[in-house]
Amino acid sequence: MPASAYLLLEDGERFDGVAAGATGGESTGEVVFNTAMSGYQEAVTDPSYRGQIIIFTYPLIGNYGVSAAAQESDAVHARAVVMREGIDREDAFEAEGGWLTWLADCDVPAIAGVDTRALVRHIRERGAMRGGIFAGETAADDALERVLAEPTIDGRDLVAEVSPSEPTLLDADGSGPLLACIDTGIKGSIVSHLRSRGARLELHPYRTGAAELLERHPDAVFLANGPGDPGALDQVVDTVRELVGRVPVFGICLGHQLLCRAIGLETFKLPFGHHGANHPVKDLASGAIDITSQNHGYAVLGPGGERTIAGEDPVRWETDFGTAELSHLNLYDRTVEGLVLRDVAGATVQYHPEAGPGPHDAEHVFDSFLAMI
Amino acid sequence: MPRRGDIEKILVIGSGPIVIGQAAEFDYSGAQACKVLLEEGYEVVLVNSNPATIMTDPEFATATYIEPLEPESVARVIERERPDALLPTLGGGTALNLARALTEDGTLARFGVELIGADYEAIQRAEDRLRFRDTMQAAGLAVPRSSVVASIAEGERALERVGLPAIVRPGFTMGGEGGGIARSHAEYRERVAEGLAASPIGQVLVEQSLIGWGEFELELMRDARDNVVVVCSIENVDPMGVHTGDSVTVAPQQTLSDAQYQRLRDQAKTVIRAVGVETGGSNIQFAVDPASGEIVVIEMNPRVSRSSALASKATGFPIAKIAARLAVGYALDEIDNDITRRTPASFEPAIDYVVVKWPRFAFEKFPGSDGALSTHMQSVGETMAIGRTFKQAFVKAMRSRELDLPVVAPADPAELLERLEISTPDRYELLLAALAGGVAEAEVCARTGIDPWFVAEIAALARGEDPEAGLARTFKAVDTCAAEFEAETPYYYSGFEAPGPEGPRHEVRRGERASVVILGSGPNRIGQGIEFDYCCVHAAMTVRASGRDAVMINCNPETVSTDYDTSDRLYFEPLTLTDVLGVIELERPEGVIVQFGGQTPLKLARELVDAGVPLLGTPVEAIDRAEDRPRFGRLCAELGLRTPAYATAESPQDALDAAERVGYPLLVRPSYVLGGRAMEICYSSDALADYLSRTGAGTPAGERGTIYLDRFLENAMELDVDALCDGEQVLIGGLMQHVEEAGIHSGDSACVIPPMSLGPDMLAQVRQATEQLALALGVVGLMNVQFAVRGEEELYVIEANPRASRTVPFVSKTVGVPLAKVACRLMLGERLRDLGLEERLGPGGPKGRHVAVKEAVLPFDRFPRADSLLGPEMKSTGEVMGVAADYPAAFGKAQAAAGATLPSAGAVFVSVTDYDKPSATQLAASLHDLGFRILATRGTAHAIRRLGVPAERLQKRGEGSPNVVDRIESGEVDLVINTPTGSGARADGYEIRRAAVARGIPCVTTMTGATAAQRAIVAMSRGPADLRSLQELHAEAAGHAEAAGHAEAAGTPKTPA
Ligand SMILES: Nc1ncnc2c1ncn2[C@@H]1O[C@H](COP(=O)(O)OP(=O)(O)O)[C@@H](O)[C@H]1O
Ligand SMILES: Nc1ncnc2c1ncn2[C@@H]1O[C@H](COP(=O)(O)OP(=O)(O)O)[C@@H](O)[C@H]1O
Ligand SMILES: [Mg+2]
Ligand SMILES: [Mg+2]
């Protein structure tokens, strides 16, 4: 009989379940839900989930075990995992271990047996909020105190926890274009997508200055994905500001938000974010729709400060760097999913063309990035 | 791209009768499509031969033609209606093959009809297994090693490439008909021969065996802008080697990693593009090697399919609806997801529950068939269950099956393991027993090839884990988005969850309006099919129209009743007492309707009432009275109505004694089942003793319940009556005369409206008897009575069913009055006298002069080793309707629609019992006059010759060769007339009938049927029958003068029944 545990939200809502993963593990963080039906290991090792507790809406998590190939980084970044049912098997041909065992080994607290659907509906209605996983015997009022003690994501620099302290040069002796990457917590899949296309990649600590980056004479600067609030990264934004126009700049997810802020656009916090693998995104140039992998809590405001884009007319921002044009639109909630800079070299997408996990529809984005060099 | 304005009239082709491999799912998709096209402002012309469908309700099309689904008749509809376009992707393989034929014979070009939703080349690339294989290889995808074979000789060569075991798969057949696994060389030759015969293009694919690999299906949609979405993934729990239609399947897929699943998804997109399906849904099947992850493409269906219906119900994404919109020009992002209303259809559903589909089989009805599952589909229906975990869904699905008899697993573990080796319908019970008995999971995996993940889940259940225990039944919504958005559509299922502080966290938005719960009919099975779903849907429509909320409970994913558009709230739940009460507790309905779902809800009536649930319509007391044989017998006696002598017995000895009192021949059966299960005619006490020992009836170990013994009325004509009653007044909805005599189950015999050979006195007697019964029982709603008429005078009551019957849709479509809707209004408190139906249903009967024939469709082609003989036990899976100005023409149409088109020339083989010889000789004579060659066995030939009609004598099987069977197999015979007596002749005829069925030659086994056939052949020789839409016929029946004009036709002859 596994030990009882419960999830407590900052508004006092409580969901009971049983402890899984790290024994006796307790943890607090921002509670978000992910609607992908597979890819649990990719998710928890994605640095963008730093500081967050992930609810998986798919009820069975762990079916096909874990494997080194599915790692998006070398650590688990999610604070904790909430599941309807956790499974610890390794039948799949790629499996190298069981999910629950692995969580325990990585010292990640988890809770199973939770009515995750009711929980998700609660968060959908009230918005993402702080919460924590606690052992059954922990008193609810202590638990609530600890939840409230957890700082909110807003204005918080989580990148510091995931960015490297030293630069790394990959494929130094290759002949492809050189990309200087401001590593705010880059996913493994992005790295391999760029490398598989012949790019030479340099991963730099996120506080690296523009001058230092330009000294490397990169063919382009790449702004990676990463955790938390783009509003808390003014130093990076300033760096990007100095880079735009002098070298092509591309960004994915957080990188997209940072470039947008750098050219003067605003970001805002979505009620409960986009975390899943089924969001339709329309490429406004071609009309093509990609089913995309998504993982972000913030988004970019439209030219008039609007959160969603109405109508079909072209959307443009006039910036210090000339015109920026909306290139991709989320068909679920019509939020900004990407833009191109018309007068200087630069383009970004909010979603995850690298998938990992999720559909491969948007891989072509990497080709178009590199084609701009 | 918006709606196309350049087309106005669209022809939709249905899938015809319910057969194995093509069932109610095509009524669901077809009905959805018709609705959408009408909404979009198009004129819809529909052709479908199946009257028991919602899609053939007059309001679902501008013009509805109940005609045989054959190129000729569809061409005549095209000629008459001149549609601009043909949408062939919603009527299964039937519609697709028709579209192909009409393209090839130039009909579409001649009348300028555009194929929409599919193009000819794409159909070819997908359905022609050879071209499909080449297309896949050209696209860089892997397919099993294979050779296409068009002759036995080529088959031998192919075997060298492929090796044993080999998979033999005929081209262009439904549900793998005629295909199979060949483990030995001998078996291989047999399979190839069968396959060549089954394939309309005489082509089979001989394929490397992938038995034991994982089997996966992806349901895709593509629009004209080349946007592709994967609606759902389905994993077969039964590995490759068991047809997906016969496999227990789960959605979404469970065992693939994200990386592996995305590979599958990428390949699926490559397939749909390579085949070139421009718009609409496609089903793509893959095999995955569990050891290496290697992926192989198995097939693609470039159309809406059984699996896409399942996917729609599993996800809430209405594939057929959207396919129809795509076909008329829309793009995916121009169509709303009607579950969220605020997001477009260009997305992939996110599921936060687990769905398990379970097939329903009927092997027990086909003695001779070995009951082993294979690559050709043999199940007759399916049930689906939604749970929050796999275990929850799995146990729910098991209890949704409603098996007549519990499966008894052998106690001996060795035997258990043995039986696990071959998949059979009861394999999961065996598996559970084995695991409970301590057999290692690995052992089970090795024997069955079932993925260890599933075996582990099932093992937990075997160890006694109850996935519901300690949790609260909590109703959740199916919303396509895992709760990311608010769901507008009330489609619910119960999960079992840890409750919150205020109890279960239900999602149901009940609203304030009074609600009425309609209990569905569960999985389709022989004896309880789509007809009952049709009635439930009509009930839902009526309840809604009355201003109440219609609440549907059902667990059959194929049906229209489980379309969330049909009711105000749909609960996808098993039809067991506890599950139903679970819904009722939450709904607190004004009443529950048990009259439309066949025997399934009727069986629950008593317990529901005991639980304090209010029933609408006929009180439970009346139900008991009609269902309880002795009580019903007494009632008839009180009313002065004749019933066959009968007795009931509680033990075998008891039965043998009682039989002496009743007298032979008699009809024996256990008390409880629909469709005359385990019902037999016994001519002697030996036969009875044999029956009792075979079925174990009456013995505690055997089938539960009492044994019923009825005196069997030989050579009696059977009648079926559907009547409406409000407790005070009775109206006869329809009075059907069976073509076959009593003794052939009402569900299997053809019948005709109006009756052809009943005098006014007998008609009056029948009406009166029906009226007496309905009033005495206190029926409120529908009642079905079966009568037998012997000689001129004797009327017997065989049974009365206080519920909607199998024939309600057929009757409704014939007389133009929706009986189920009327019945529902009566249950809701209206009175017949206020509905003004006397005009149409009174003694005068409907004004229409047309004649309608219902013919049963039998699945013997699926069970080659079973006897195709008809009897009191129902065996048909579906029905068709033939309607024309006179009986022979209507009968001919019905035969053609049933797939047994009568020959207009050639050779007829006649072999009948002495009793039938007189009429058989007359019949042979007239066929001879029509230019047929007459072949017969000795006795019959002799009798015929005496009439001066030349008859070639054929040797019986025993008399050496070439004999009858050889001649039939070599294709020299075009029509077989073979009547068996109750005694020995059955065995003799068996091989003849088997051969005829195998060759697809019409085979008539009753004299009355034969006479009708002969009449029809005469009628056909006078040229094609007239063609009119259901709407025209109904206008006529309603007495509208203008339409009545051309109803004049050859006077209706009498059948000599
Ligand atoms: N090469 C094969 N080896 C083993 N089983 C096969 C093979 N090909 C098909 N099958 C089985 O036969 C079933 C029917 O084959 P399929 O190609 O889907 O024909 P159908 O048109 O009847 O669906 C499949 O569901 C699968 O289980
Ligand atoms: N006493 C009888 N004599 C002749 N035929 C009978 C008799 N009783 C039943 N039958 C035949 O058996 C069929 C099935 O019997 P029925 O009582 O209708 O069972 P079910 O409940 O399956 O409809 C009937 O349609 C009829 O053809
Ligand atoms: Mg198939
Ligand atoms: Mg009956």
Side-chain angles (χ1 to χ4, degrees), chain B residues 926-948:
Chain B
S926 88
L927 286 172
H928 167 73
D929 299 345
L930 283 167
F932 281 84
R933 273 172 53 235
I934 311 295
L935 316 175
T937 42
R938 197 198 309 100
T940 315
H942 186 70
I944 295 172
R945 290 209 193 96
R946 261 199 256 99
L947 246 76

Side-chain angles (χ1 to χ4, degrees), chain B residues 516-533:
Chain B
V516 169
V517 169
I518 299 148
L519 300 185
S521 58
N524 280 3
R525 64 210 89 162
I526 290 175
Q528 188 167 305
I530 183 175
E531 306 82 4
F532 297 99
D533 198 69

Side-chain angles (χ1 to χ4, degrees), chain A residues 58 94 115 117 282 360-361, chain B residues 254 257 266 333 476 507:
Chain A
Y58 190 67
E94 321 106 297
D115 183 345
R117 183 170 167 93
K282 188 166 194 167
H360 299 158
D361 292 8
Chain B
Q254 298 296 323
S257 69
D266 293 344
D333 57 315
K476 307 256 174 209
E507 277 177 47

